[in-house]
Amino acid sequence: MKTVVIGASGYAGGELLRLLATHPHLLVTQVSAHSNAGELITSVHPHLNTYQNQKFVAIEEVNFDQVDVVFIALPHGQSASVVRNIPSHTKVIDLGADFRLNDSAQWDKYYDGEHAGVWTYGLPEIPGQREKISKSVQVSNPGCYATSIITGLLPALDFIDVSDVVVVAASGTTGAGRSAKINLIASEVMGSLTSYKFGGIHQHTPEVEQALSNASGKDLKISFTPILAPIPRGILSTITARLTSTISTEEVNASYAKFYEDEYFVDVLPLGQMPKTGSLTGSNKVQIQVAVDEHVQRLVISVALDNLGKGAASQAIQNANLMCGFHEGSGLSTDGLGT
Amino acid sequence: MKTVVIGASGYAGGELLRLLATHPHLLVTQVSAHSNAGELITSVHPHLNTYQNQKFVAIEEVNFDQVDVVFIALPHGQSASVVRNIPSHTKVIDLGADFRLNDSAQWDKYYDGEHAGVWTYGLPEIPGQREKISKSVQVSNPGCYATSIITGLLPALDFIDVSDVVVVAASGTTGAGRSAKINLIASEVMGSLTSYKFGGIHQHTPEVEQALSNASGKDLKISFTPILAPIPRGILSTITARLTSTISTEEVNASYAKFYEDEYFVDVLPLGQMPKTGSLTGSNKVQIQVAVDEHVQRLVISVALDNLGKGAASQAIQNANLMCGFHEGSGLSTDGLGT
Amino acid sequence: MKTVVIGASGYAGGELLRLLATHPHLLVTQVSAHSNAGELITSVHPHLNTYQNQKFVAIEEVNFDQVDVVFIALPHGQSASVVRNIPSHTKVIDLGADFRLNDSAQWDKYYDGEHAGVWTYGLPEIPGQREKISKSVQVSNPGCYATSIITGLLPALDFIDVSDVVVVAASGTTGAGRSAKINLIASEVMGSLTSYKFGGIHQHTPEVEQALSNASGKDLKISFTPILAPIPRGILSTITARLTSTISTEEVNASYAKFYEDEYFVDVLPLGQMPKTGSLTGSNKVQIQVAVDEHVQRLVISVALDNLGKGAASQAIQNANLMCGFHEGSGLSTDGLGT
Amino acid sequence: MKTVVIGASGYAGGELLRLLATHPHLLVTQVSAHSNAGELITSVHPHLNTYQNQKFVAIEEVNFDQVDVVFIALPHGQSASVVRNIPSHTKVIDLGADFRLNDSAQWDKYYDGEHAGVWTYGLPEIPGQREKISKSVQVSNPGCYATSIITGLLPALDFIDVSDVVVVAASGTTGAGRSAKINLIASEVMGSLTSYKFGGIHQHTPEVEQALSNASGKDLKISFTPILAPIPRGILSTITARLTSTISTEEVNASYAKFYEDEYFVDVLPLGQMPKTGSLTGSNKVQIQVAVDEHVQRLVISVALDNLGKGAASQAIQNANLMCGFHEGSGLSTDGLGT
């Protein structure tokens, strides 16, 4: 199927191109990037040898009539104007936040600009969601942090106090985008840890709360603190919540393993093994480990994923696979790079 | 004053040597390291040019009679046997955990071996503690994580629910010691984040709870999750607790600033600036920022320090300065390396 | 074809497993690792989800009769004893150095133990070598540094003074193996650069000299200085040699491009773009750029590759593909990870 | 003495401020930074607690009449216009390149803009130079790479072929300045090695050739290839040249040790120990090791330093100390940070 990537000069766009290069059914026919239009793809992504001699085109030059699947990887707020030019039967996966939130008030609180609308939320591991995605032509791909937090909490909703969940998550620098800012230059980042969007103001907060409130039928609230870590890729989320019933670490681990037993891309690790971001690099996998801290009666959950993989590009392809009726894992990797 | 460093081949020991090299009153006269006895100090610490041509001696060779101050930087469980050979009037600062816990039951739960005893807890920023340290000849230097968590929580004890505090903290690799283990080699660590001692089992837990329960007069409990980060030095702790009264971010920041206004080594940052581990490298400083997340009525606290600095070696020297009647900041740096 | 990996607990072995997991024709049926025999593969390689629940077997347990292809990724000196147990018609690719050198005297100078013998040298990009590899059942896979230096110099042999070539190359830490040594722990490596095997004693020296002396018909000599860099993967080699004829940067670049025009895995970059190790991570690619420094009449060559990719595992698979008559690029990636 | 730092918002300027904060004789009274004028110093350099509540002033606001020592740390080409406003008797150390080159033709070849002039070259370890610096009021501080290459080659000039010296040097990212450029952001730099200013075009080339041609009385030429390494600080230079006489590694090491025996800031390491950039971080030290590669009759020299230390800020202070008649090591560190 003919595939277009819009916003392909960023890191998520580049990862889409990398993965689509070996996808058995999706063929990239047009690659668009606004500010790099006319440049060689390899001038921005020198690792993408597959695209040698191909150039980015301006979005105005994209012919959407000859396209089956569109991936949009633009900064937040820019998707709606692109979508207007896409025929309504064309499958679209938006990696931005524009169509994730049901509640316009939440959009207004956490984002700039007008609320674009609501599309099917593209996290297939939420019970019932896979079927909805399969029937959708427009899917909103989840945020990277949100994916880690939602997959980490879904199996626990019945035995934790959902009104007071605490999340501290560290992300690699590609999560901040391919953007020339002083606080992102290597001299500032390497060898240092620092928090940002501090005090519950990160925009993935309402996305997590919406998805998990829907899933639990209760009003779930998170306290979320993001941290910038000196790694290019990877998110490690530590989630903790008070237990509402007495349960052992072994029982929780078994419960999680049961919950995800049919999921190909979520691994509940055996007790004793911890999620490690490097193990997921380049893959579409999530790794989860759990423990009950009896001395405070809290459940602690550790979740790792690749922010550009299951947190963005490969999740988008997983959604496209579902929407197109392909094998859900087509073109996706279950093995990470390791080191 | 004649000074001995015991266990000088580790990272904390090396940092002690580095700082003592320019201390105006403490003169290093003997340097001991068990397994490296007989080797040049610079063969282990090639950065310590000051000690060129000097060798580590075995602990049996140390003559404690001619010593005024002893720093012990041994692995946990080894201090008591050394202390037996030190005259009772000699000032000793133990960087290990051996004399930190009041409760033998807690020692038995979190550590191996016999509980060595209880010394004055060497965190001068705890109200009343500076005076106790000044009058002590034996001081137990706090753990690196513990220092960050205690200094982060002390000013908040009156307006948070101390029974349910959540801490997620990431540490640089020197915190794991100078030890040849597969999980610490660069190929495994660089580019990755992973948690360890997961589920409330880290040994700094009782140390924090003891110090803060004493300070608050209530039974404080923490859920503590440590993370190994791909940086050599630095701890970034994120602490969150439910607020028991309505208070704004501005008020909490002002309250923290007031609490630490006379403290030279704890900086409550102006709103808008976040603690950053790289800013503290090599210094004896702690940086703190706070925020109230109103949507969950939680206080969030971010604390940064150098695990080898205020978390170990420079804090030990701060204690020695107090014990010897020197200016508290003698030989210590308030400026970090930056990058 | 049934495939065995011997020495699979190291980094090169792990990369072989990762790549073979998606190879269209080679099926891993047995995985051996001496000291980890009986352990889960994922306990050593937590990124290899494909091998979940599979265990390493001891080499004694490997049944070579039911195997078509054997990859050996053992430390130097251990291959010969394994090879004795492999039927002579079975295809074997040895990633170690044991069968690389023609001259026993060179083996004795640079390695310990007995010289094992001489196999076909597995660098298909050397003119004429692809055919030899295709007809061989036993192939010796080149060293990581050697691959970068040989591919970098091959097109220049006619216009440089081969008697005095200077190479300075930096390698990621996986090149030093998965070994618990103090000098390899993250605290020592991160944030630092240091040279090793200094003064022309690195064991890839005779390998390079042998291959390029053969190719040039002259006695080529290199001065080779390796450097340990704080990255997990990647080699960047800087090669310089005196020009023997007047030639411009443009002409050399064109000459290199011509030389490699039919090679799928060697990219001579357009002028203005430099090889970058991160662009090759996980791929089987080599990137090369050249320049003439007229003020000293020297050719300067920059070469990047992934030491575990084209420098080890993926090159071994490229050789296996040739030996088995598969498409040379089967199961190999031309796109690197990028970041 | 009253001291001004011009261009204090960059990394070299920040390191000057850090070191001057504890200098016994130089007191920073004014701090200037063009684009950050009016901002808090700690908003740019959050590690410099000493300067809390102080602001950068515009250069127009600096009162040079009340100043004894001026450090200029501006980008190349901007010093001359500042110098015009400084009284001629005021001591000035320029960290930029503006006054380093004797030959205007070389300036025109490697730099933009007009050649500003020629000042005393501030590398005290060049024989005879210390005395010239001591008598100068205007000193041009050497480049970071240049310092490493010149100190590495000075003792060898009598027994190498100076007409054909090869240098490959890797630098940390602070060497590229505190500048928001895509190629410097952490996502691009971490985990990767790449060369730049490739083919003999780096501007430190004429500076090295000038200094060493003067010192040797012959026309010295270097082939210089710089590499960007994923570390914040540090330069590791590998220098190699053909030997013109038969000499052993031991003899060269002894000769180097003899050459630098009275130098406080240059350490020729004992055989078996290699220079390591991390060992020099924050110090004013240079570490050197040498080897004779007999099989190619080449001398190989490895040199490490901190590009912001002996390569910039601390070297500038060493020069100021000489110019002011202070102890040469005042306010400078011989011990690096280590990790």
Side-chain angles (χ1 to χ4, degrees), chain A residues 133-167:
Chain A
I133 296 164
S134 301
K135 294 176 189 159
S136 298
V137 290
Q138 294 177 319
V139 166
S140 181
N141 210 54
C144 48
Y145 283 121
T147 299
S148 74
I149 302 168
I150 296 169
T151 53
L153 277 167
L154 273 174
L157 295 175
D158 285 345
F159 44 88
I160 59 167
D161 176 358
V162 296
S163 73
D164 185 30
V165 174
V166 173
V167 182

Side-chain angles (χ1 to χ4, degrees), chain C residues 134-165:
Chain C
S134 300
K135 294 176 189 159
S136 297
V137 290
Q138 294 177 319
V139 166
S140 180
N141 209 54
C144 50
Y145 283 121
T147 299
S148 74
I149 302 168
I150 296 168
T151 54
L153 277 167
L154 273 175
L157 296 174
D158 286 345
F159 44 87
I160 59 167
D161 176 358
V162 297
S163 73
D164 184 31
V165 174

Side-chain angles (χ1 to χ4, degrees), chain C residues 44-57:
Chain C
V44 171
H45 300 301
H47 59 297
L48 296 180
N49 294 294
T50 299
Y51 298 84
Q52 245 161 7
N53 304 321
Q54 274 185 259
K55 290 183 178 175
F56 294 111
V57 299

Side-chain angles (χ1 to χ4, degrees), chain C residues 5-301:
Chain C
V5 178
I6 309 291
S9 61
Y11 289 123
E15 186 71 354
L16 276 168
L17 293 179
R18 186 181 77 87
L19 292 165
L20 291 169
T22 56
H23 195 284
H25 311 302
L26 297 174
L27 179 72
V28 176
T29 54
Q30 297 174 85
V31 178
S32 168
H34 186 67
S35 58
N36 299 94
E39 294 178 30
L40 285 168
I41 293 173
T42 52
S43 72
V44 171
H45 300 301
H47 59 297
L48 296 180
N49 294 294
T50 299
Y51 298 84
Q52 245 161 7
N53 304 321
Q54 274 185 259
K55 290 183 178 175
F56 294 111
V57 299
I59 195 156
E60 295 76 19
E61 301 175 59
V62 177
N63 184 345
F64 287 109
D65 292 336
Q66 305 186 352
V67 173
D68 301 296
V69 180
V70 178
F71 292 97
I72 305 177
L74 293 169
H76 304 322
Q78 302 185 11
S79 297
S81 66
V82 173
V83 170
R84 256 174 243 127
N85 298 314
I86 304 176
S88 61
H89 63 275
T90 306
K91 292 175 174 63
V92 186
I93 300 97
D94 183 24
L95 281 79
D98 301 32
F99 298 96
R100 289 182 199 152
L101 297 184
N102 298 336
D103 184 350
S104 291
Q106 291 286 8
W107 174 268
D108 294 342
K109 182 175 170 190
Y110 287 93
Y111 293 92
D112 296 326
E114 211 181 338
H115 185 214
V118 189
W119 286 4
T120 303
Y121 191 67
L123 189 55
E125 288 81 5
I126 297 177
Q129 205 66 15
R130 177 169 283 110
E131 294 66 32
K132 289 184 194 159
I133 296 164
S134 300
K135 294 176 189 159
S136 297
V137 290
Q138 294 177 319
V139 166
S140 180
N141 209 54
C144 50
Y145 283 121
T147 299
S148 74
I149 302 168
I150 296 168
T151 54
L153 277 167
L154 273 175
L157 296 174
D158 286 345
F159 44 87
I160 59 167
D161 176 358
V162 297
S163 73
D164 184 31
V165 174
V166 173
V167 182
V168 178
S171 172
T173 54
T174 52
R178 198 170 173 277
S179 170
K181 294 176 184 163
I182 280 285
N183 66 314
L184 296 180
I185 66 172
S187 299
E188 300 289 314
V189 168
M190 289 188 295
S192 206
L193 290 166
T194 192
S195 192
Y196 65 102
K197 294 192 181 172
F198 186 68
I201 60 174
H202 192 282
Q203 68 277 7
H204 288 182
T205 303
E207 182 180 337
V208 170
E209 293 180 346
Q210 169 182 294
L212 291 173
S213 294
N214 285 350
S216 67
K218 293 176 223 159
D219 193 20
L220 182 136
K221 292 276 182 201
I222 62 164
S223 157
F224 173 34
T225 304
I227 289 167
L228 185 69
I231 54 175
R233 292 178 176 221
I235 284 179
L236 186 74
S237 292
T238 304
I239 309 168
T240 175
R242 279 192 308 276
L243 288 163
T244 51
S245 57
T246 303
I247 188 166
S248 70
T249 294
E250 290 71 18
E251 288 169 326
V252 177
N253 185 275
S255 171
Y256 267 65
K258 176 87 182 151
F259 188 94
Y260 285 124
E261 69 183 340
D262 296 330
E263 290 297 341
Y264 199 57
F265 292 117
V266 181
D267 284 350
V268 180
L269 298 180
L271 289 173
Q273 191 186 341
M274 295 305 301
K276 187 179 171 183
T277 60
S279 297
L280 288 314
T281 306
S283 83
N284 193 45
K285 278 276 186 180
V286 178
Q287 286 185 340
I288 303 179
Q289 185 51 284
V290 292
V292 170
D293 181 352
E294 291 180 8
H295 111 286
V296 290
Q297 272 305 301
R298 276 192 169 268
L299 175 62
V300 193
I301 309 154

Side-chain angles (χ1 to χ4, degrees), chain A residues 235-284:
Chain A
I235 284 179
L236 185 73
S237 291
T238 305
I239 308 167
T240 175
R242 279 194 307 277
L243 287 164
T244 52
S245 58
T246 304
I247 189 167
S248 70
T249 295
E250 289 71 18
E251 287 168 326
V252 178
N253 185 275
S255 171
Y256 267 65
K258 176 86 181 153
F259 187 94
Y260 284 124
E261 68 183 341
D262 295 330
E263 290 297 341
Y264 199 57
F265 292 118
V266 181
D267 285 350
V268 179
L269 298 180
L271 290 173
Q273 190 186 341
M274 294 305 301
K276 186 179 171 183
T277 61
S279 296
L280 288 314
T281 305
S283 83
N284 193 45

Side-chain angles (χ1 to χ4, degrees), chain B residues 255-275:
Chain B
S255 171
Y256 267 64
K258 176 85 181 153
F259 188 92
Y260 284 125
E261 68 183 339
D262 295 331
E263 290 297 342
Y264 199 58
F265 292 117
V266 181
D267 285 349
V268 179
L269 298 179
L271 289 173
Q273 190 186 341
M274 294 306 300

Side-chain angles (χ1 to χ4, degrees), chain C residues 109-110 163-166 168 170-172 187-196 198-201 205 209 221-225 227 229-236 238 240 242 274-279 281 289-296 298 300-302 304 338-339, chain D residues 109-110 163-166 168 170-172 187-196 198-201 205 209 221-225 227 229-236 238 240 242 274-279 281 289-296 298 300-302 304 338-339:
Chain C
K109 182 175 170 190
Y110 287 93
S163 73
D164 184 31
V165 174
V166 173
V168 178
S171 172
S187 299
E188 300 289 314
V189 168
M190 289 188 295
S192 206
L193 290 166
T194 192
S195 192
Y196 65 102
F198 186 68
I201 60 174
T205 303
E209 293 180 346
K221 292 276 182 201
I222 62 164
S223 157
F224 173 34
T225 304
I227 289 167
I231 54 175
R233 292 178 176 221
I235 284 179
L236 186 74
T238 304
T240 175
R242 279 192 308 276
M274 295 305 301
K276 187 179 171 183
T277 60
S279 297
T281 306
Q289 185 51 284
V290 292
V292 170
D293 181 352
E294 291 180 8
H295 111 286
V296 290
R298 276 192 169 268
V300 193
I301 309 154
S302 183
T339 59
Chain D
K109 183 174 172 191
Y110 288 94
S163 73
D164 184 31
V165 173
V166 174
V168 179
S171 172
S187 300
E188 299 290 313
V189 169
M190 289 187 295
S192 206
L193 290 167
T194 191
S195 192
Y196 65 103
F198 187 68
I201 61 174
T205 303
E209 294 181 347
K221 292 277 182 201
I222 61 165
S223 157
F224 173 34
T225 304
I227 290 166
I231 54 174
R233 293 178 175 218
I235 285 179
L236 186 74
T238 304
T240 176
R242 279 193 308 277
M274 293 306 300
K276 186 178 172 184
T277 60
S279 297
T281 305
Q289 186 52 283
V290 292
V292 170
D293 180 352
E294 292 181 8
H295 111 287
V296 290
R298 276 193 169 266
V300 193
I301 308 156
S302 182
T339 57

